[in-house]
Amino acid sequence: MTLGGLRTQCGELANLSEPFRELVTQAGIRGEVPHAVRCVVERHRVGDELHHAVLAELPLADAGDIWVSWLDSREPHEVERRVYCPVTAGPGIPCELHALHPDGHSWELAERHVTG
């Protein structure tokens, strides 16, 4: 989806409750679990598509990252390791999203600055 001709990240915010953060930590996520995450895939219609954000980076580059998914105004309900998108924009310019991401690749999207 474009905003004035510019393709942008969604930017939807998901606050992570303390019980959710504790559960993720108990499941073996290392490092600090954030209090909130923002959707990094291309801006999409509200209500009918999942939002996606990186929860934790894994130490090995080819291992992917831990991603969370959620519907609007809800806490994330999916937490899983996802490998990186294999598409590149040339040498040294990988897509930084997961392999099954919808719509545009990371280098095609401007960061959407949202408040809240």
Side-chain angles (χ1 to χ4, degrees), residues 12-88:
E12 176 76 17
L13 180 70
N15 291 307
L16 307 179
S17 67
E18 191 60 34
F20 177 87
R21 295 173 68 241
E22 287 176 13
L23 183 64
V24 169
T25 302
Q26 291 170 5
I29 299 298
R30 296 175 190 252
E32 187 174 336
V33 177
H35 292 273
V37 292
R38 286 202 184 272
C39 181
V40 295
V41 299
E42 188 166 357
R43 193 169 177 198
H44 47 91
R45 290 191 308 261
V46 173
D48 60 351
E49 295 182 34
L50 288 174
H51 298 284
H52 304 273
V54 173
L55 180 66
E57 295 180 355
L58 295 175
L60 300 174
D62 60 349
D65 289 324
I66 303 298
W67 287 76
V68 293
S69 301
W70 70 97
L71 289 171
D72 292 323
S73 303
R74 297 190 186 152
E75 188 165 64
H77 63 276
E78 291 180 10
V79 179
E80 61 185 350
R81 181 184 70 82
R82 295 183 183 165
V83 297
Y84 295 111
C85 176
V87 179
T88 66

